[in-house]
Amino acid sequence: MLKRRQILKGAAISSLAIGTPMIARAQAQHDWKLVTSVPKGLPGPGVSAQRWADRITQMTDGEIKVTLYGVGELVPPFGTQEAVESGTAQAYHGSGSWFSGRDIAHAFFTGVPFGLTFDEMHAWMYYGGGQELLNEFTNPRGLQIFIGGGSGMQTFGWFKNEIKGLSDLQGLNFRAAGLGGQVLSKLGMNAVSIPPSDIFSALQSGTLDGAEWVGPANDLAFGFQNVAKYMYTPTFVDVYGGIEFGVNLAAWEALSDAQRTIVEAASEAEANRSSADTLHANLQAFERFKADDSLTIAELPADIWDALRAASKEVMDDVAATSDFHGRLTEAYYAYAEQCSGYKARYDAAFTAERQPYFG
């Protein structure tokens, strides 16, 4: 009997020892707050942020639990990146253009004048050295950032009055962010950066004469067609229109190799999924705009395009001269864009031009 009790006691101790690592693993769960500058559920970026959070939570079986906080719920609209750097939140979802006031290099990973489209951007980031440049720029600030998808070619802007030429832009109060805002300022516009949630009311009240946001789907969701009747497309700057996921570097390094692989995979999947989602939504929204007889949908006049190219080169020369890193970043980015441009002129643009007559 004594021997049996000793055996049972030893088994209980062994069981406790075996169970201890399991308890430790349960206590090592990572609770992440994900902050964004857009409303929850907003078509495109709002849906994308929630999907990223849900997928990481599900794929890690809750080992990384990601909870989404919409615009203003936890931090100010444009304070998301700083909140992650400080550790107030563990991750953010937002446009690099919104953070370009902190450092203009952020804009390269969202959209710069006459830059990379979404498929070109993904190729540059994954295979052309873009991610390495992003890491060089942001890792020292305590951030690990991944691209999260692009809107594709955006709308240049919505205006209350017709734009017939360059002179019609003079003195207009226009919502624009990042490098695009700097270029438009050179054209005589008053570029104003305000949170997305404030754009409609500013247009409605007359505080703004015009605004850019994203593309047809998001513009429709915001109701711009109800307060501005002139829609000009395409843009010159947000041709990728990227969104990114930024993770606190300490929180990132606290993950296991397997968990980091899951976050990377989820980010890459979301970059593809959100880009496809936005294109599909834009196709449908644009059909609705075309059917609205009260709207004028037009391209920019030639003299504006000439002015945009000239002003963009001035702005980008200034950016390149900011520091050695900005110079290398500018050179690398536009070298890749030039290569893409030559390729697509021969392939994509030529095919698109020949495809259109197929439909009559």
Side-chain angles (χ1 to χ4, degrees), residues 100 103-108 112-113 178-180 182-183 186 311-331 333-334:
S100 60
D103 192 308
I104 201 61
H106 280 294
F108 281 83
V112 299
L179 290 167
Q182 293 187 32
V183 172
K186 285 184 174 290
S312 294
K313 289 182 178 180
E314 292 180 11
V315 167
M316 298 316 298
D317 284 346
D318 290 342
V319 170
T322 302
S323 70
D324 173 71
F325 174 77
H326 290 83
R328 290 189 290 109
L329 177 60
T330 303
E331 182 179 4
Y333 182 93
Y334 277 107

Side-chain angles (χ1 to χ4, degrees), residues 158 200 219-229 288-289 292 294-295:
W158 291 80
F200 180 87
D219 295 347
L220 179 67
F222 272 45
F224 293 159
Q225 71 279 6
N226 297 319
V227 290
K229 293 299 183 181
R288 291 185 59 178
F289 285 146
D292 187 343
S294 70
L295 290 181

Side-chain angles (χ1 to χ4, degrees), residues 33 38 54 67 81 88 102 131 162 164 197-198 201 276 311 327-328 342 355:
K33 298 181 181 70
V38 300
D54 291 344
T67 303
Q81 189 178 78
T88 300
R102 307 187 69 205
Q131 184 66 55
E162 185 178 6
K164 298 179 181 179
S197 56
D198 295 339
S201 60
R328 290 189 290 109
R355 181 174 64 179

